[in-house]
């Protein structure tokens, strides 16, 4: 991924690649350190059978650093801001899979209290720090941190729900990134002018953003609904209430993005025709992803049974 981040040879891109490399290297070292500490005390090298409390604590912190969970989240918005949109898409989705796999494999031995605290903090900071942003990549980075909070809070109780949340988040984020890449949008002021160029695509972006926010009857409501239900079953109704309230912060900046994409039209001094038919064809993958990002809620009984 490092050559992809730094391929533009811009100083910001080089800085982003350096930050990414240093953070991931430090986290990998901590993973090795936790397994070594466990082997020192118990004679067991298997990372899925950590029993020593210090090792569990270090491993939880290392995986949180790799994922970008708060309070180890500072590198992620900066790296995403320095990367092109397509590389940002890879960083937000596929590059989260290896540490998430590690988290799933070791979820039974991780510290649940620490994970819950990190999850609440991620949901809070992801929503809070995204409020004042004008760069779309930074907004999506804070959105990712907020969604990771939802995944981390449930992993000790239902790892399958974490995976379902990750898959649906990947679907919706891919849609948003591909639409922004098609329209060549990097900041909100540019997003305001795209409605006249491609209205149908922007209308779909509006729905996908509301789905990311978790509004029914869209796909994004499904993981939030199931996670709140599972937390209530585990006698964690307080945590469920807190994380639900914190998701309202995220809803604000998704609505802000959606407002800029569809409702705000820039002031024009001259009358002009809206360009309803574009000459370039929209990628078929965007169409498929958009449908999946907005209409999967009726399939929730089937998805939950799987």
């Amino acid at each position: 991924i490092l050559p992809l981040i730094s391929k533009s040879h811009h100083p910001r891109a080089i800085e982003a690649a350096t930050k990414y490399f240093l953070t991931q290297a430090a986290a990998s070292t901590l993973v090795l350190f936790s397994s070594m500490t466990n082997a020192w005390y118990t004679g067991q090298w298997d990372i899925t059978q950590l029993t020593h409390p210090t090792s569990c604590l270090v491993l939880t912190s290392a995986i949180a650093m790799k994922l970008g969970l708060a309070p180890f989240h500072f590198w992620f918005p900066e790296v995403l801001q320095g990367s092109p949109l397509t590389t940002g898409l890879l960083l937000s989705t596929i590059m989260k899979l290896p540490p998430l796999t590690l988290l799933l494999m070791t979820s039974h031995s991780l510290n649940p209290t620490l994970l819950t605290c990190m999850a609440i903090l991620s949901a809070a900071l992801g929503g809070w720090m995204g409020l004042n942003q004008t760069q779309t990549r930074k907004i999506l980075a804070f959105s990712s941190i907020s969604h990771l909070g939802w995944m981390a809070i449930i992993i000790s109780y239902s790892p399958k729900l974490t995976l379902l949340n990750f898959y649906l988040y990947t679907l919706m984020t891919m849609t948003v990134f591909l639409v922004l890449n098609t329209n060549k949008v990097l900041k909100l002021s540019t997003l305001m002018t795209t409605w006249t160029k491609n209205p149908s695509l922007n209308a779909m972006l509006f729905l996908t953003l509301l789905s990311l926010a978790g509004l029914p009857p869209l796909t994004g409501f499904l993981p939030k609904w199931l996670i709140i239900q599972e937390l209530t079953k585990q006698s964690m109704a307080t945590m469920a209430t807190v994380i639900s309230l914190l998701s309202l912060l995220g809803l604000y900046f998704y609505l802000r993005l959606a407002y800029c994409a569809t409702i705000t039209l820039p002031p024009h001094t001259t009358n002009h025709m809206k360009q309803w038919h574009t000459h370039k064809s929209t990628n078929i993958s965007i169409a498929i992803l958009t449908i999946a990002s907005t209409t999967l809620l009726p399939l929730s009984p089937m998805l939950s049974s799987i």
Side-chain angles (χ1 to χ4, degrees):
I1 198 76
L2 291 170
L4 289 174
I5 298 172
S6 57
K7 69 177 180 181
S8 66
H9 301 294
H10 191 276
R12 188 181 280 275
I14 305 297
E15 184 189 337
T18 311
K19 281 179 179 172
Y20 185 76
F21 171 73
L22 291 173
T23 312
Q24 295 300 320
S28 300
T29 311
L30 281 175
V31 171
L32 286 171
F33 179 67
S34 71
S35 66
M36 194 179 71
T37 313
N38 192 61
W40 179 266
Y41 283 104
T42 63
Q44 175 62 262
W45 278 100
D46 191 350
I47 203 167
T48 57
Q49 295 178 15
L50 290 183
T51 49
H52 196 262
T54 311
S55 304
C56 295
L57 204 67
V58 172
L59 187 67
T60 311
S61 307
I63 297 172
M65 195 185 288
K66 273 191 171 296
L67 280 168
L69 266 174
F72 308 106
H73 65 286
F74 293 102
W75 63 272
F76 189 57
E78 299 299 323
V79 169
L80 214 64
Q81 180 60 28
S83 313
L85 278 167
T86 43
T87 311
L89 167 59
L90 292 176
L91 283 170
S92 300
T93 54
I94 295 166
M95 296 310 292
K96 297 273 187 216
L97 198 54
L100 198 68
T101 310
L102 198 57
L103 195 64
L104 281 163
M105 283 168 60
T106 56
S107 57
H108 57 276
S109 59
L110 297 179
N111 189 330
T113 313
L114 182 65
L115 270 177
T116 306
C117 291
M118 279 181 173
I120 296 290
L121 195 61
S122 295
L125 284 173
W128 193 259
M129 294 175 79
L131 293 179
N132 206 25
Q133 300 296 331
T134 55
Q135 302 287 330
T136 51
R137 285 170 294 184
K138 276 202 172 179
I139 291 174
L140 288 167
F142 288 118
S143 150
S144 177
I145 293 164
S146 177
H147 277 270
L148 278 170
W150 282 87
M151 292 177 217
I153 200 167
I154 200 67
I155 196 157
S156 304
Y157 309 104
S158 177
K160 283 181 182 175
L161 272 185
T162 300
L163 268 184
L164 175 68
N165 194 346
F166 178 72
Y167 293 148
L168 293 179
Y169 162 75
T170 303
L171 268 180
M172 295 180 283
T173 307
M174 279 176 80
T175 312
V176 174
F177 268 106
L178 289 173
V179 170
L180 294 177
N181 192 43
T182 305
N183 288 335
K184 300 287 180 282
V185 172
L186 294 177
K187 48 184 187 282
L188 290 184
S189 54
T190 319
L191 189 61
M192 289 180 191
T193 61
T194 54
W195 172 256
T196 51
K197 295 174 192 166
N198 215 334
S200 53
L201 197 60
N202 272 34
M204 289 297 101
L205 177 63
F206 175 78
L207 287 174
T208 309
L209 286 166
L210 292 185
S211 184
L212 259 178
L215 292 184
L218 303 165
T219 306
F221 177 60
L222 169 61
K224 285 187 167 56
W225 172 30
L226 292 176
I227 286 170
I228 289 168
Q229 190 179 355
E230 185 62 32
L231 284 174
T232 314
K233 281 181 190 171
Q234 299 289 343
S235 306
M236 291 179 69
T238 314
M239 290 301 167
T241 310
V242 169
I243 203 165
S244 306
L245 288 170
L246 289 172
S247 69
L248 291 174
L249 291 167
L251 175 62
Y252 174 80
F253 64 73
Y254 289 126
L255 280 175
R256 186 159 163 246
L257 266 176
Y259 183 82
C260 289
T262 52
I263 303 166
T264 309
L265 285 177
H268 291 286
T269 50
T270 55
N271 292 327
H272 68 291
M273 292 292 287
K274 301 267 192 302
Q275 186 185 348
W276 282 94
H277 295 284
T278 51
H279 297 296
K280 60 178 180 181
S281 60
T282 303
N283 195 335
I284 188 72
S285 58
I286 296 180
I288 296 165
L289 286 167
T290 305
I291 292 166
S293 303
T294 50
T295 57
L296 286 186
L297 187 65
L299 298 177
S300 51
M302 186 182 78
L303 289 171
S304 57
S305 65
I306 290 169

